[in-house]
């Protein structure tokens, strides 16, 4: 996973999205239509239940965020194999992201949420059960990418559900609550996973992960989701997925800010997708610390998401999108470089926090701009296309970074990645990104 796990540089399912929340593939909301709810969020039982099940799902994600790399490292001792597992998961998510939006539009969304959580429960439960008798690493290579498929399906379906359970004027506030809940899970999950892994082994932590998905799947039964028009699969015809994907791609290419933003984020994703594996390897291999230390450092980094959500609105209002995005990633590059040079766990934890804070600010700003400039009817396709394109190089980057760490040392990789991130951020000053403003409007409808 990338350094910007909950940002646009490696969007992932760990944080819900709102115009003031760090961006992640699964948690971004689109403009809502008419919603059924007139109750306040506090008095809306459907929303409260949804908040609970999303928290459980996020806790499961944050457990696997630590437990899976630890299991691979414990079983193989190889940072390269950690990177391969991370890369396979990314490939599965990217491929699924191409058609997940079409599935969410054509089928019952509550069932899709249940199926996604239920499948992740069963798949993750297999690992600790098998580990009681043997340690076949091929099982991890098989299961984890399949889990990535259901994770992406859950994330895309989640995007469509929030507007169906709250009123239109409550969406931003609801996503704020959801983001705060996911941030708490992101802080608690890695620390708990590290503690469980140290006490009972990574396989046991994965077993707990499966339980959280089971409870979340059951909880979906109590969430009533307003139905919305579905795409008729027969009327859509052959090639519909390709046409829908290309509509989003055409809009991205036509926009003077989104086009360079997509290109630069693709490069940043390549560089940072394997950052979690590198941090774990640095702490375990080079510095010789325990699993609990890994959990604490990653949890400390997640605190950066809280700070990002609190300061991003003021930062963007004062600096504008371009300056805030460029400055955030430039500072993130400096933090990554210093992380590789440090041998102090507290310093590394602080640098992780700075890195996540900066990528969070950049992700929030990027997501907000995309919402501002994209027509409502195109926002879903533009979002899924954006995720797919800028994430495509991530798996290759994770494999390359971990292979380089094994061959040249993890410190050298951190320094090279950090300097490269800084250079890419500064390259934004000669593109349309630097001239962008929060109020920029779309060029037209390219679809």
């Amino acid at each position: 996973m990338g350094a910007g796990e909950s940002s646009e540089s490696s969007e992932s399912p760990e944080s819900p999205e709102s115009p003031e929340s760090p961006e992640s593939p699964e948690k971004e909301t689109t403009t809502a239509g008419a919603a059924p709810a007139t109750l306040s969020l506090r008095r809306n039982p459907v929303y409260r239940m949804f908040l609970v099940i999303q928290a459980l799902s996020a806790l499961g994600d944050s457990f696997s965020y630590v437990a899976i790399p630890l299991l691979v490292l414990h079983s193989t001792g190889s940072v390269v194999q950690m990177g391969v597992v991370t890369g396979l998961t990314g490939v599965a998510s990217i491929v699924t992201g191409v058609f997940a939006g079409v599935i969410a539009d054509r089928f019952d969304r509550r069932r899709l949420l249940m199926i996604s959580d239920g499948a992740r429960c069963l798949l993750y439960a297999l690992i600790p059960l098998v580990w009681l008798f043997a340690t076949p690493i091929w099982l991890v290579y098989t299961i984890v990418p399949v889990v990535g498929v259901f994770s992406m399906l859950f994330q895309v379906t989640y995007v469509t559900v929030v507007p169906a359970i709250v009123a239109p004027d409550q969406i931003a506030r609801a996503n704020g609550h959801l983001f705060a809940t996911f941030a708490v899970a992101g802080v608690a999950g890695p620390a708990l996973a590290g503690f469980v892994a140290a006490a009972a082994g990574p396989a046991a932590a994965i077993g707990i992960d499966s339980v959280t998905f089971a409870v979340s799947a059951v909880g979906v039964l109590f969430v009533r989701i307003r139905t919305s028009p579905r795409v008729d699969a027969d009327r859509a015809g052959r090639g519909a997925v390709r046409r829908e994907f290309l509509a989003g791609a055409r809009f991205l290419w036509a926009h003077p800010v989104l086009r360079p933003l997509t290109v630069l984020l693709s490069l940043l994703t390549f560089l940072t997708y394997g950052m979690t594996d590198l941090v774990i390897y640095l702490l375990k291999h080079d510095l010789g610390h325990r699993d609990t230390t890994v959990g604490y450092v990653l949890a400390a980094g997640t605190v950066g998401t809280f700070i990002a959500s609190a300061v991003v609105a003021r930062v963007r209002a004062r600096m504008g999108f371009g300056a805030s995005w460029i400055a955030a990633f430039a500072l993130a590059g400096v933090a990554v470089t210093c992380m590789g040079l440090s041998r102090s766990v507290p310093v590394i934890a602080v640098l992780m926090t700075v890195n996540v804070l900066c990528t969070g600010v950049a992700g929030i700003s990027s997501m907000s701009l995309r919402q501002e400039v994209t027509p409502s009817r195109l926002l879903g396709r533009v979002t899924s296309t954006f995720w797919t394109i800028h994430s495509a190089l991530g798996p290759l980057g994770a494999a390359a970074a971990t292979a380089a760490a094994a061959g040249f040392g993890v410190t050298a990789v951190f320094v090279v990645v950090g300097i490269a991130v800084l250079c890419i951020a500064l390259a934004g000053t000669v593109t349309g990104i630097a001239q962008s403003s929060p109020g920029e409007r779309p060029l037209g409808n390219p679809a």
Side-chain angles (χ1 to χ4, degrees), residues 313-328 434 436-438:
R314 283 171 290 181
V315 170
R316 190 181 175 200
R318 292 182 180 181
M319 301 177 62
F321 167 73
S324 58
W325 189 90
I326 292 168
S436 63
S437 64

Side-chain angles (χ1 to χ4, degrees), residues 103-368:
I103 293 175
D105 286 340
R106 292 180 178 176
F107 298 97
D108 182 83
R109 289 163 179 169
R110 186 168 69 165
R111 289 184 181 179
L112 287 176
L113 291 176
M114 292 177 61
I115 290 171
S116 299
D117 271 342
R120 288 187 286 179
C121 166
L122 294 175
L123 289 166
Y124 274 142
L126 281 175
I127 294 177
L129 288 176
V130 172
W131 246 248
L132 292 173
F133 308 100
T135 58
I137 195 63
W138 62 264
L139 184 66
V140 177
Y141 284 115
T142 303
I143 285 178
V144 173
V146 180
V147 168
V149 171
F150 287 104
S151 293
M152 178 57 72
L153 181 59
F154 182 94
Q155 294 159 20
V156 173
T157 305
Y158 161 89
V159 171
T160 69
V161 166
V162 174
I165 61 175
V166 302
D169 61 349
Q170 295 175 329
I171 290 177
R173 193 152 25 104
N175 277 309
H177 296 165
L178 289 163
F179 169 71
T181 302
F182 274 84
V184 171
V187 172
L192 290 173
F195 177 78
V196 173
I206 296 172
I208 294 176
D209 191 5
S210 71
V211 173
T212 65
F213 288 121
V215 177
S216 177
V218 173
V220 176
L221 289 171
F222 302 94
V223 177
R224 299 179 62 184
I225 300 172
R226 177 177 58 90
T227 58
S228 59
R230 298 281 187 265
V231 175
D232 189 322
D234 294 330
R235 291 178 60 189
R238 185 175 301 176
V241 174
R242 180 177 63 85
R243 289 195 299 272
E244 292 174 22
F245 182 86
L246 290 178
R250 283 195 297 268
F251 184 88
L252 289 174
W253 183 253
H255 199 278
V257 179
L258 296 182
R259 180 173 63 246
L261 186 66
T262 305
V263 172
L264 295 185
L265 279 170
S266 297
L267 298 175
L268 289 168
T269 300
F270 173 80
L271 291 168
T272 63
Y273 198 84
M275 188 60 61
T276 298
D277 293 338
L278 294 177
V279 171
I280 292 174
Y281 191 68
L282 173 66
L283 294 171
K284 294 278 295 177
H285 181 268
D286 283 26
L287 303 183
H289 289 282
R290 295 166 55 87
D291 292 347
T292 49
T293 302
V294 172
Y296 292 142
V297 169
L298 295 179
T302 309
V303 172
T305 60
F306 288 104
I307 305 173
S309 66
V311 304
V312 65
R314 283 171 290 181
V315 170
R316 190 181 175 200
R318 292 182 180 181
M319 301 177 62
F321 167 73
S324 58
W325 189 90
I326 292 168
F329 267 118
L331 183 55
V334 173
V336 170
T337 301
C338 294
M339 202 182 307
L341 298 174
S342 176
R343 289 298 177 265
S344 166
V345 170
V347 171
I348 293 173
V350 170
L351 291 169
M352 276 289 291
T353 302
V354 172
N355 181 48
V356 175
L357 162 64
C358 293
T359 53
V361 167
I364 296 167
S365 299
S366 176
M367 184 271 222
S368 300

Side-chain angles (χ1 to χ4, degrees), residues 55-137:
L56 288 169
S57 188
L59 186 63
D61 284 336
S62 62
F63 252 75
S64 57
Y65 172 65
V66 175
I68 293 295
L70 283 177
L71 181 69
V72 174
L73 187 60
H74 278 224
S75 301
T76 67
S78 170
V79 67
V80 174
Q81 295 204 46
M82 291 170 65
V84 170
V85 171
T86 300
L88 287 174
T89 304
V91 169
S93 297
I94 291 166
V95 172
T96 307
V98 174
F99 57 83
V102 177
I103 293 175
D105 286 340
R106 292 180 178 176
F107 298 97
D108 182 83
R109 289 163 179 169
R110 186 168 69 165
R111 289 184 181 179
L112 287 176
L113 291 176
M114 292 177 61
I115 290 171
S116 299
D117 271 342
R120 288 187 286 179
C121 166
L122 294 175
L123 289 166
Y124 274 142
L126 281 175
I127 294 177
L129 288 176
V130 172
W131 246 248
L132 292 173
F133 308 100
T135 58
I137 195 63

